[in-house]
């Protein structure tokens, strides 16, 4: 057998133990008294640190679509285009109005220069000069107003070209060429695969000792990884009394947003029992609950499972303490369903 280290089980032997009569092998743990530190496990999921839902800002038909879901894109890359003919014509009209206003301003400027010469020679009154200066200022203001409108029209024309906000991967595409885009309607989603994190809800009581030494277990990794940074959000969920913990994954970690993950947090050492003896822990998945009976499948010397009633104690992470009904050195089946099938095999064969 191979000796395996466990957070709450000092000596757990994970091995296939043969069952009498040639039955299938059962995975089990050999339980020993333990006082090692608790390692709690909390369910979480992988999410992108930087992600964006790109929506349309203007209405129109999608005339060009250059990407599909799963494509890698670069910052500034054109992803799709929306029909902008009406907007371009509006921008051209605004530009023409600006040109006309500037021509009027030129005429007003020349007229003002002539009026000033006449005033210097005392051919016109001060009132006539003031009126011309006011006309010139009005023409200048008109040019500025039309130029601002033309700039706004030109800026709006840019909304018809959708570009990638950063380097990333297209995770979702909700439109096809020919679809009508509407303001606020999501067109696609992009995330940065180089910056991922695991987010998990952790009870407030489990965070009293901090998050130093936290690790992350992923289905894509054989061993837990050490996060680059761990952040505990300051707000507490009033319903569950939990805080969100975000663990940033190291660069190069193979994962994708939405992937299931476990956040592993170290805890305080297990306190000794009242009589000074060490305590016994088993995996919570090994516990069998049937009506009012709580038990464990304990393997005898031949490896045959026998259901034994036990009394449970506090839960510590994915482990549960056994207060009575179990002795140090007992072998406990970690898969109750498999053990149940082994037990019922003889009865089925007899029928």
């Amino acid at each position: 057998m191979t000796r395996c280290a466990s957070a709450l089980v000092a000596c757990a032997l994970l091995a296939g133990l043969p069952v009498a009569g040639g039955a299938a092998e059962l995975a089990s743990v050999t339980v020993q008294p333990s006082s090692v530190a608790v390692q709690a496990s909390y369910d979480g999921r992988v999410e992108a640190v930087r992600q964006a839902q790109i929506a349309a800002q203007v209405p129109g038909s999608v005339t060009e679509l250059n990407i599909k879901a799963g494509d890698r894109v670069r910052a500034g890359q054109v992803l799709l285009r929306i029909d902008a003919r009406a907007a371009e014509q509006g921008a051209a009209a605004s530009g023409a109005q600006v040109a006309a206003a500037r021509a009027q301003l030129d005429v007003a400027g020349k007229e003002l220069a002539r009026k000033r010469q006449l005033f210097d020679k005392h051919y016109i009154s001060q009132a006539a000069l003031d009126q011309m200066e006011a006309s010139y200022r009005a023409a200048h203001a008109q040019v500025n107003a039309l130029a601002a409108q033309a700039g706004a029209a030109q800026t709006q024309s840019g909304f018809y070209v959708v570009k990638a906000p950063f380097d990333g991967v297209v995770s979702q595409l909700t439109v096809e060429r020919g679809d009508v885009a509407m303001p606020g309607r999501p067109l696609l989603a992009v995330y940065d695969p180089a910056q991922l994190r695991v987010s998990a809800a952790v009870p407030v009581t489990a965070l009293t000792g901090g998050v130093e030494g936290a690790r992350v277990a992923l289905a894509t990794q054989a061993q837990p990884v050490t996060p680059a940074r761990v952040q505990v959000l300051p707000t507490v969920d009033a319903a569950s009394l939990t805080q969100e913990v975000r663990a940033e994954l190291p660069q190069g970690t193979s994962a994708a947003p939405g992937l299931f993950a476990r956040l592993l947090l170290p805890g305080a050492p297990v306190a000794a029992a009242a009589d000074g003896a060490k305590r016994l822990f088993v995996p919570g998945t090994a516990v069998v609950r049937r009506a009012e009976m709580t038990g464990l499948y304990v393997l005898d010397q031949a490896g045959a499972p026998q259901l034994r009633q036990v009394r449970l104690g506090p839960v510590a992470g994915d482990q549960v303490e056994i207060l009575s009904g179990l002795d140090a050195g007992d072998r406990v089946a970690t898969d109750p369903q498999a053990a149940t099938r082994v037990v019922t095999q003889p009865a089925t064969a007899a029928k």
Side-chain angles (χ1 to χ4, degrees), residues 103-119 124-141:
Q104 293 294 330
L105 180 63
D106 290 341
V107 172
K110 293 176 180 178
E111 183 65 20
L112 177 61
R114 286 194 294 268
K115 291 289 185 182
R116 284 173 176 169
Q117 291 177 357
L118 293 175
F119 177 78
I124 61 175
S125 65
Q126 180 68 46
L129 178 61
D130 292 343
Q131 183 177 5
M132 191 61 229
E133 289 178 343
S135 298
Y136 176 79
R137 288 195 298 269
H140 193 277

